[in-house]
Amino acid sequence: MARPAEIQEINKPFKHYLVSSRKQIHGWYNWGRRECTSERILLNPYNGCGVGCFYCYARALPGYFSQSHRTGRIFVFKDFDRLVATQLDKINFAFCGYLSPVTEPFQEIDKVYDLSYKTAREFIKRNIPVEFITKVKVPEKVLEIMSGHKHCFGQVSALSPQEHLRRLLSPKGASVDTLFENIKRMSKRNIFSVCRIDPVLPFITDSFQDLKLLVKKAADSGAKHIIASVMDIPYKIKGFILNWIERHFGRETAVKYLKLYKERIGYLHADIGYRKKIFAFLKKECNKTGLSFALCMEFEKTPSGEIKGLNREFATSLNCEGIDVPVYVRRGNKFYPLDKCNGHCLGCRSVVCGVNKFSQGAALKLADYK
């Protein structure tokens, strides 16, 4: 975290903090368990999010994230794109850049600083693919630079086909129509698109009728893949989440959550029988419409205490994001995909890249990409 002297409070166009930072690019964190099959370079030019989803696990993360949860302020990393560009020029191996796994990359503050587009551009300049995950309208210029690169892709998160619920659950997100229009726009540009029904909220967005409609809308819009999960509850914000549910859906619904969320695997998880019922239904609907299917960070605890990922039971794609993106290797000033690599790092045994650490599920840091 940057020293306090390196944080500048900005009041226009709305209050936020500008942070001078030496952040380094990195991969997935090592939480002792993982379902993410492919490595990614995680890119968070912003900490904190203006979309306002009450259930967001980032509210429970330390540092700037928890400060943002308490204050509603966004932390902006000054010249993030330039910092990333400097680091990309020092490495020899690269993975798809991920905008952004924790914070909405195209939220309102991005219209001021444009860091998501600028960062994506630095990757594309070097022929490294990028992906994004969003709940708002994707800027056209982002799709323009991604089109033509076969390994770039986008993920659109759709919680419900009902606009009144969407507006309540992600207040500053885009409308249902706009979200599926994102997928249509990607499809027209031949950009691989993913629809995330992620998370499903028990007793709120879990009706089979609505889930079926989301899958159909995704397929009709040109999506190729569905990712799903059921909402987890981080212990740190359990009270915040349950209070929000009680305020908007009543005490009875909050009590149902207390009864359903009994499984402890890092966070609180909904009952495994409930989750498997949801996933089996979604998998069946995806099969009907020709979409591949996978889960995001879903686990079960066996009677012996073993923690197993549920993708082995429910996934119909090799990689959880539905697209196979290989390791990229430097040749001169640009990077190129490695032959015979399908990007399935977590299950890799041949290690064609020659870097054993990539297949070990380790928490990769800047030095590991060199």
Side-chain angles (χ1 to χ4, degrees):
M1 181 182 294
R3 295 186 297 272
E6 297 175 351
I7 300 177
Q8 180 183 2
E9 185 174 4
I10 309 291
N11 293 316
K12 294 181 179 180
F14 42 80
K15 291 183 179 180
H16 61 280
Y17 293 107
L18 189 61
V19 183
S20 296
S21 170
R22 297 184 180 136
K23 286 183 69 170
Q24 292 188 348
I25 59 176
H26 61 84
W28 301 112
Y29 295 105
N30 186 0
W31 292 330
R33 62 192 182 283
R34 180 174 138 191
E35 279 282 83
C36 311
T37 54
S38 299
E39 290 294 342
R40 295 285 180 258
I41 293 178
L42 308 187
L43 304 167
N44 285 296
Y46 311 105
N47 281 185
C49 183
V51 174
C53 304
F54 80 94
Y55 55 82
C56 182
Y57 71 90
R59 294 178 181 273
L61 296 179
Y64 295 136
F65 292 106
S66 62
Q67 290 184 53
S68 181
H69 170 58
R70 293 194 306 270
T71 66
R73 306 280 182 90
I74 309 299
F75 291 80
V76 179
F77 292 100
K78 183 179 180 181
D79 297 327
F80 181 83
D81 57 309
R82 297 182 188 179
L83 183 65
V84 167
T86 299
Q87 294 173 42
L88 291 178
D89 286 337
K90 296 178 180 178
I91 64 177
N92 292 309
F93 294 91
F95 298 94
C96 185
Y98 190 170
L99 281 163
S100 89
V102 183
T103 296
E104 169 61 57
F106 308 122
Q107 60 181 297
E108 283 297 306
I109 195 69
D110 191 57
K111 295 178 181 177
V112 180
Y113 291 96
D114 204 24
L115 291 176
S116 292
Y117 167 74
K118 291 177 179 177
T119 303
R121 185 177 59 187
E122 295 299 337
F123 273 73
I124 299 297
K125 279 181 183 178
R126 294 160 178 79
N127 195 39
I128 307 170
V130 290
E131 64 161 305
F132 60 77
I133 181 170
T134 188
K135 285 188 175 76
V136 305
K137 183 176 181 178
V138 183
E140 188 64 27
K141 63 183 180 181
V142 173
L143 298 183
E144 287 178 3
I145 63 170
M146 291 173 65
S147 63
H149 196 300
K150 68 178 182 178
H151 290 134
C152 284
F153 66 103
Q155 304 186 66
V156 177
S157 183
L159 300 175
S160 170
Q162 301 183 46
E163 178 58 19
H164 75 280
L165 275 179
R166 193 286 312 162
R167 192 181 303 115
L168 180 64
L169 299 173
S170 54
K172 296 296 181 64
S175 68
V176 173
D177 288 345
T178 300
L179 293 174
F180 285 102
E181 187 63 30
N182 280 339
I183 295 176
K184 291 177 183 177
R185 291 162 59 213
M186 284 189 278
S187 180
K188 289 179 181 178
R189 291 182 174 274
N190 292 317
I191 298 172
F192 188 92
S193 58
V194 178
C195 179
R196 295 185 72 109
I197 307 175
D198 171 38
V200 175
L201 281 70
F203 318 119
I204 298 172
T205 65
D206 63 349
S207 80
F208 282 1
Q209 180 180 351
D210 279 1
L211 294 176
K212 181 176 182 178
L213 182 54
L214 282 176
V215 173
K216 183 178 186 305
K217 288 175 75 71
D220 290 347
S221 299
K224 305 298 184 185
H225 182 66
I226 297 284
I227 295 176
S229 73
V230 170
M231 184 184 78
D232 302 328
I233 301 180
Y235 296 106
K236 189 174 181 180
I237 57 171
K238 176 183 175 183
F240 173 83
I241 287 176
L242 292 177
N243 287 338
W244 191 98
I245 291 170
E246 181 173 350
R247 188 165 66 251
H248 292 280
F249 293 96
R251 175 65 180 166
E252 182 179 345
T253 302
V255 170
K256 286 182 179 179
Y257 269 80
L258 286 171
K259 293 178 179 178
L260 183 68
Y261 279 78
K262 296 295 186 182
E263 298 194 4
R264 298 170 179 263
I265 310 174
Y267 294 158
L268 278 172
H269 296 261
D271 173 77
I272 187 63
Y274 170 89
R275 287 187 285 142
K276 285 192 173 186
K277 183 178 179 181
I278 294 290
F279 301 147
F281 176 79
L282 284 170
K283 179 179 179 179
K284 181 182 70 174
E285 292 302 312
C286 288
N287 286 339
K288 286 181 183 178
T289 54
L291 300 179
S292 55
F293 178 69
L295 305 175
C296 183
M297 295 296 285
E298 286 288 350
F299 304 91
E300 69 174 323
K301 185 180 292 185
T302 67
S304 65
E306 179 189 2
I307 306 299
K308 292 198 316 182
L310 290 178
N311 262 329
R312 66 183 71 184
E313 180 177 347
F314 292 100
T316 61
S317 60
L318 175 65
N319 285 298
C320 52
E321 290 165 315
I323 180 173
D324 301 339
V325 182
V327 177
Y328 270 63
V329 181
R330 175 183 292 282
R331 294 179 195 160
N333 294 326
K334 292 192 175 184
F335 290 74
Y336 296 90
L338 185 65
D339 290 340
K340 299 180 181 179
C341 174
N342 58 20
H344 191 66
C345 296
L346 201 60
C348 181
R349 297 295 177 266
S350 57
V351 195
V352 293
C353 63
V355 185
N356 287 320
K357 197 168 188 177
F358 292 169
S359 64
Q360 295 170 353
L364 299 179
K365 298 181 180 179
L366 177 62
D368 297 314
Y369 304 123
K370 294 181 179 181

